[in-house]
Tab-separated table of all heavy atoms in Angstrom:
chain	number	residue	atom	x	y	z
A	314	VAL	N	28.115	12.983	5.448
A	314	VAL	CA	26.667	13.161	5.325
A	314	VAL	C	26.192	14.072	6.427
A	314	VAL	O	26.483	13.842	7.617
A	314	VAL	CB	25.952	11.797	5.404
A	314	VAL	CG1	24.431	12.004	5.430
A	314	VAL	CG2	26.335	10.888	4.234
A	315	ALA	N	25.482	15.125	6.043
A	315	ALA	CA	24.920	16.056	7.003
A	315	ALA	C	23.405	15.845	7.082
A	315	ALA	O	22.705	15.752	6.061
A	315	ALA	CB	25.220	17.514	6.590
A	316	VAL	N	22.904	15.733	8.325
A	316	VAL	CA	21.484	15.513	8.559
A	316	VAL	C	21.022	16.588	9.512
A	316	VAL	O	21.622	16.816	10.565
A	316	VAL	CB	21.170	14.121	9.158
A	316	VAL	CG1	19.708	13.922	9.374
A	316	VAL	CG2	21.747	13.017	8.262
A	317	SER	N	19.917	17.287	9.184
A	317	SER	CA	19.371	18.311	10.076
A	317	SER	C	17.883	18.191	10.188
A	317	SER	O	17.177	17.835	9.238
A	317	SER	CB	19.748	19.716	9.572
A	317	SER	OG	19.295	19.943	8.266
A	318	ALA	N	17.383	18.489	11.401
A	318	ALA	CA	15.930	18.445	11.684
A	318	ALA	C	15.416	19.840	11.841
A	318	ALA	O	16.102	20.719	12.440
A	318	ALA	CB	15.678	17.642	12.981
A	319	TRP	N	14.215	20.094	11.348
A	319	TRP	CA	13.656	21.455	11.298
A	319	TRP	C	12.227	21.482	11.773
A	319	TRP	O	11.420	20.614	11.459
A	319	TRP	CB	13.711	21.982	9.864
A	319	TRP	CG	15.103	22.104	9.322
A	319	TRP	CD1	15.900	21.070	8.883
A	319	TRP	CD2	15.856	23.302	9.191
A	319	TRP	NE1	17.112	21.558	8.483
A	319	TRP	CE2	17.122	22.919	8.650
A	319	TRP	CE3	15.604	24.646	9.447
A	319	TRP	CZ2	18.104	23.847	8.390
A	319	TRP	CZ3	16.604	25.560	9.166
A	319	TRP	CH2	17.833	25.174	8.655
A	320	ASP	N	11.903	22.504	12.557
A	320	ASP	CA	10.551	22.851	12.951
A	320	ASP	C	10.217	24.107	12.196
A	320	ASP	O	10.536	25.220	12.611
A	320	ASP	CB	10.478	23.062	14.447
A	320	ASP	CG	9.089	23.462	14.933
A	320	ASP	OD1	8.228	23.762	14.085
A	320	ASP	OD2	8.860	23.506	16.175
A	321	GLY	N	9.594	23.944	11.019
A	321	GLY	CA	9.369	25.104	10.145
A	321	GLY	C	10.731	25.646	9.666
A	321	GLY	O	11.568	24.914	9.129
A	322	ALA	N	10.962	26.934	9.880
A	322	ALA	CA	12.206	27.561	9.468
A	322	ALA	C	13.301	27.484	10.531
A	322	ALA	O	14.422	27.952	10.333
A	322	ALA	CB	11.954	29.041	9.138
A	323	LYS	N	13.006	26.845	11.676
A	323	LYS	CA	13.958	26.756	12.751
A	323	LYS	C	14.640	25.397	12.802
A	323	LYS	O	13.988	24.363	12.894
A	323	LYS	CB	13.237	26.988	14.086
A	323	LYS	CG	14.147	26.900	15.306
A	323	LYS	CD	13.340	27.033	16.577
A	323	LYS	CE	14.218	26.870	17.825
A	323	LYS	NZ	13.417	26.950	19.072
A	324	GLN	N	15.966	25.403	12.685
A	324	GLN	CA	16.723	24.156	12.839
A	324	GLN	C	16.776	23.763	14.295
A	324	GLN	O	17.151	24.548	15.162
A	324	GLN	CB	18.123	24.302	12.279
A	324	GLN	CG	18.945	23.031	12.384
A	324	GLN	CD	20.324	23.154	11.733
A	324	GLN	OE1	20.443	23.360	10.529
A	324	GLN	NE2	21.375	23.041	12.553
A	325	VAL	N	16.385	22.512	14.577
A	325	VAL	CA	16.340	22.081	15.985
A	325	VAL	C	17.445	21.081	16.320
A	325	VAL	O	17.722	20.859	17.517
A	325	VAL	CB	14.965	21.429	16.321
A	325	VAL	CG1	13.862	22.460	16.189
A	325	VAL	CG2	14.682	20.216	15.425
A	326	SER	N	18.108	20.523	15.309
A	326	SER	CA	19.192	19.588	15.572
A	326	SER	C	19.927	19.278	14.273
A	326	SER	O	19.358	19.441	13.189
A	326	SER	CB	18.692	18.298	16.187
A	326	SER	OG	19.747	17.481	16.604
A	327	ASN	N	21.184	18.897	14.394
A	327	ASN	CA	21.939	18.498	13.195
A	327	ASN	C	23.059	17.524	13.553
A	327	ASN	O	23.480	17.421	14.745
A	327	ASN	CB	22.512	19.716	12.479
A	327	ASN	CG	23.672	20.328	13.223
A	327	ASN	OD1	23.518	20.894	14.297
A	327	ASN	ND2	24.879	20.231	12.639
A	328	SER	N	23.521	16.803	12.569
A	328	SER	CA	24.586	15.836	12.737
A	328	SER	C	25.374	15.765	11.460
A	328	SER	O	24.797	15.737	10.352
A	328	SER	CB	24.017	14.472	13.111
A	328	SER	OG	25.024	13.470	13.050
A	329	VAL	N	26.711	15.704	11.550
A	329	VAL	CA	27.574	15.503	10.384
A	329	VAL	C	28.511	14.344	10.714
A	329	VAL	O	29.253	14.378	11.693
A	329	VAL	CB	28.410	16.783	10.071
A	329	VAL	CG1	29.293	16.511	8.854
A	329	VAL	CG2	27.492	17.963	9.819
A	330	ARG	N	28.453	13.297	9.874
A	330	ARG	CA	29.318	12.125	10.071
A	330	ARG	C	29.791	11.582	8.740
A	330	ARG	O	29.288	12.003	7.673
A	330	ARG	CB	28.487	11.027	10.833
A	330	ARG	CG	28.042	11.460	12.205
A	330	ARG	CD	27.336	10.345	12.927
A	330	ARG	NE	28.230	9.230	13.245
A	330	ARG	CZ	29.020	9.169	14.317
A	330	ARG	NH1	29.041	10.179	15.168
A	330	ARG	NH2	29.798	8.125	14.497
A	331	SER	N	30.746	10.717	8.818
A	331	SER	CA	31.274	10.095	7.592
A	331	SER	C	30.176	9.270	6.942
A	331	SER	O	29.352	8.667	7.617
A	331	SER	CB	32.472	9.223	7.900
A	331	SER	OG	33.537	9.985	8.421
A	332	ALA	N	30.217	9.214	5.618
A	332	ALA	CA	29.225	8.377	4.891
A	332	ALA	C	29.305	6.934	5.364
A	332	ALA	O	30.388	6.399	5.533
A	332	ALA	CB	29.493	8.462	3.380
A	333	GLY	N	28.130	6.374	5.583
A	333	GLY	CA	28.065	5.009	6.089
A	333	GLY	C	27.846	4.902	7.582
A	333	GLY	O	27.483	3.845	8.092
A	334	GLU	N	28.091	5.995	8.315
A	334	GLU	CA	27.862	5.998	9.753
A	334	GLU	C	26.451	6.412	10.083
A	334	GLU	O	25.847	7.211	9.332
A	334	GLU	CB	28.868	6.934	10.447
A	334	GLU	CG	30.312	6.481	10.326
A	334	GLU	CD	31.258	7.416	11.093
A	334	GLU	OE1	30.831	8.513	11.438
A	334	GLU	OE2	32.418	6.998	11.301
A	335	SER	N	25.916	5.916	11.163
A	335	SER	CA	24.555	6.319	11.586
A	335	SER	C	24.588	7.621	12.341
A	335	SER	O	25.622	8.036	12.869
A	335	SER	CB	23.949	5.197	12.443
A	335	SER	OG	24.715	5.006	13.610
A	336	HIS	N	23.427	8.268	12.362
A	336	HIS	CA	23.285	9.611	13.010
A	336	HIS	C	22.300	9.512	14.169
A	336	HIS	O	21.336	8.765	14.103
A	336	HIS	CB	22.792	10.646	12.013
A	336	HIS	CG	23.645	10.864	10.851
A	336	HIS	ND1	24.450	11.983	10.672
A	336	HIS	CD2	23.918	10.091	9.736
A	336	HIS	CE1	25.133	11.902	9.534
A	336	HIS	NE2	24.809	10.760	8.947
A	337	THR	N	22.569	10.306	15.211
A	337	THR	CA	21.613	10.481	16.289
A	337	THR	C	21.427	11.968	16.484
A	337	THR	O	22.371	12.700	16.811
A	337	THR	CB	22.079	9.832	17.588
A	337	THR	OG1	22.173	8.395	17.401
A	337	THR	CG2	21.066	10.106	18.708
Side-chain angles (χ1 to χ4, degrees):
V314 174
V316 181
S317 57
W319 298 76
D320 179 350
K323 179 184 177 183
Q324 180 176 297
V325 297
S326 188
N327 72 293
S328 170
V329 180
R330 298 183 67 84
S331 297
E334 296 183 344
S335 60
H336 299 254
T337 297

